[in-house]
Amino acid sequence: MIYLDNQATTPLAPEARDAMLQWLDGPDGSGFGNPHSPHRMGRQAAAAIELAREHVAGLLPPGGKVHFTGSACEAINLAMRGTPGDGPISVSGIEHAAVWDTAKALGKRHVLNVAANGQCNTNQDVPQGTKLVCVMQVNNEIGTIQPTVEWHRKARSENALFLCDAVQSYGKMEVTGADMIAISAHKIYGPKGIGALWVRNGLELNPQITGGLQEGVRSGTLSTALVAGFGAAAAEAKDRMDQDAEHAEGLWQVARDMFHGNWALNGDEDTRLHSNLNIRRKGLDVNRLMSDCRNVMFSAGSACASGSGKPSHVLKAIGLSDEQAKSSIRIGWGRYTTRSDLEDGVQQILDAANAQ
Ligand code: PLP
């Protein structure tokens, strides 16, 4: 199988796996203690969690605290539901469902326009009394990089808080300032089931899960293994950031050269992470393509949206018609993708598309 869906999730790094194992030990080991217990086993687990917290924070701006959660979705829900006040919530038209659906569920969603190149620019107003602005740093479907520094500034000038969903950028580029930042381990070669919300010092959120508040603003016993895996993955991502980016760039050139002619790129060519290629071809039957290429893992949109049959709201937001959106595919590579895997996978996709 050829894995070209690294925006959906990434394989577990060996370093993250190694860091997790001792905390999964059963009765003969000492790794299973509750990290919130005051005895020796508990304190050892708590120390591992604090070390991981430092590693995770090492890729985030100074002046805030990392609170572990069960996922980025949970972190985003905590940020959005836990922000005091009841004004409108302004969200870019290309937010992940975690932000998009939560703003809608809260009944306060105001949608910020996105240009055809996949960027949500600050040359637009937010409604008066807006309490929260949410603009992601890198989009999960088209990989475009957003002007989050400017949005943070604009939110502040409107007395609103700024939440940045940095799930796709964390570990791959510098994550810039915000009031709250949501991240997830499984996008950086860490385990699934663990995310975090970074909260700027001095900002108080209303807890959404009560029952001990072990993470200050979030209740629930932490999994030492998952947290240790997240920490190790973050440390590795920090060490290898340049190397990973160089590797991604090399593969971008390969993929761009192979998809020429009647394939059109969705989103800007340059202001994007070069590990995400979202392309469309007129008349392409994506469902048929996916079933013809069973051994190549790629996506017909975001993992959450694909399968729903609805055209992606992200592709619609950048001005694509239903037909164009439905004839789009996303291919994403990462640290462990080899050139030959990419070439082989793309060739299979091209052959199947040409046979339609
Ligand atoms: N935000 C973005 C941009 C994502 O890509 C994802 C995952 O697909 C999430 C949020 C949700 O992350 P998690 O799977 O940790 O809930």
Side-chain angles (χ1 to χ4, degrees):
M1 270 189 299
I2 299 177
Y3 188 73
L4 298 178
D5 200 14
N6 280 265
Q7 280 73 37
T9 196
T10 53
L12 192 64
E15 296 82 1
R17 184 177 179 278
D18 288 350
M20 291 168 72
L21 290 179
Q22 68 165 301
W23 305 107
L24 295 168
D25 274 352
D28 296 326
S30 57
F32 66 93
N34 186 324
H36 314 291
S37 293
H39 51 60
R40 193 163 154 215
M41 275 169 60
R43 280 187 281 112
Q44 282 171 347
I49 285 176
E50 291 320 307
L51 180 65
R53 203 186 302 278
E54 275 176 36
H55 285 144
V56 170
L59 285 162
L60 292 167
K65 182 163 183 216
V66 169
H67 302 270
F68 290 112
T69 58
S71 63
C73 270
E74 188 199 321
I76 287 166
N77 270 267
L78 170 58
M80 295 181 73
R81 295 174 192 272
T83 293
D86 57 7
I89 300 177
S90 283
V91 309
S92 87
I94 56 171
E95 291 301 301
H96 182 273
V99 168
W100 186 248
D101 291 353
T102 306
K104 186 165 183 221
L106 290 169
K108 304 277 178 189
R109 186 169 77 187
H110 163 257
V111 178
L112 298 165
N113 294 327
V114 178
N117 70 352
Q119 275 206 292
C120 179
N121 298 315
T122 47
N123 59 356
Q124 53 189 316
D125 291 330
V126 299
Q128 228 184 357
T130 293
K131 70 165 184 176
L132 180 64
V133 176
C134 311
V135 179
M136 67 200 329
Q137 193 171 14
V138 167
N139 180 264
N140 48 303
E141 290 190 39
I142 53 177
T144 52
I145 300 169
Q146 305 305 315
T148 48
V149 173
E150 287 85 341
W151 273 113
H152 185 203
R153 207 175 295 133
K154 180 149 182 147
R156 218 185 291 138
S157 72
E158 300 284 336
N159 289 323
L161 294 178
F162 180 61
L163 165 66
C164 180
D165 172 349
V167 168
Q168 296 286 342
S169 54
Y170 177 77
K172 294 169 192 129
M173 60 186 283
E174 191 195 352
V175 176
T176 45
D179 294 299
M180 295 170 280
I181 300 170
I183 55 176
S184 184
H186 74 101
K187 311 287 183 173
I188 61 155
Y189 314 98
K192 292 168 190 57
I194 180 84
L197 183 68
W198 176 94
V199 180
R200 172 187 44 79
N201 290 339
L203 175 58
E204 299 262 326
L205 297 175
N206 297 322
Q208 300 302 302
I209 305 176
T210 46
L213 295 181
Q214 289 90 336
E215 275 296 276
V217 71
R218 186 256 193 189
S219 299
T221 302
L222 285 176
S223 158
T224 313
L226 293 180
V227 172
F230 194 177
E236 205 54 28
K238 191 170 182 184
D239 282 354
R240 298 173 64 138
M241 198 181 285
D242 292 344
Q243 199 183 327
D244 283 351
E246 210 176 298
H247 178 62
E249 185 61 40
L251 297 182
W252 169 263
Q253 297 303 336
V254 172
R256 281 302 274 142
D257 287 349
M258 289 182 80
F259 282 106
H260 55 258
N262 47 5
W263 291 91
L265 181 67
N266 292 327
D268 197 68
E269 174 92 36
D270 300 317
T271 315
R272 77 191 290 145
L273 279 190
H274 277 179
S275 46
N276 171 321
L277 183 62
N278 194 314
I279 40 176
R280 63 180 192 275
R281 194 173 111 162
K282 196 167 190 291
L284 185 70
D285 181 340
V286 171
N287 288 336
R288 202 172 126 203
L289 185 70
M290 293 189 91
S291 80
D292 287 346
C293 300
R294 278 183 208 284
N295 287 329
V296 187
M297 309 302 121
F298 63 102
S299 168
S302 78
C304 313
S306 48
S308 71
K310 285 198 200 142
S312 142
H313 76 275
V314 172
L315 298 179
K316 296 281 288 172
I318 63 169
L320 266 56
S321 65
D322 283 9
E323 200 197 336
Q324 287 173 319
K326 285 184 170 180
S327 62
S328 296
I329 56 171
R330 181 188 70 187
I331 296 171
W333 45 89
R335 185 184 296 163
Y336 303 109
T337 314
T338 63
R339 182 181 172 135
S340 71
D341 271 353
L342 181 70
E343 284 174 341
D344 189 6
V346 170
Q347 197 54 55
Q348 289 188 42
I349 293 170
L350 287 170
D351 290 345
N354 290 337
Q356 283 190 3

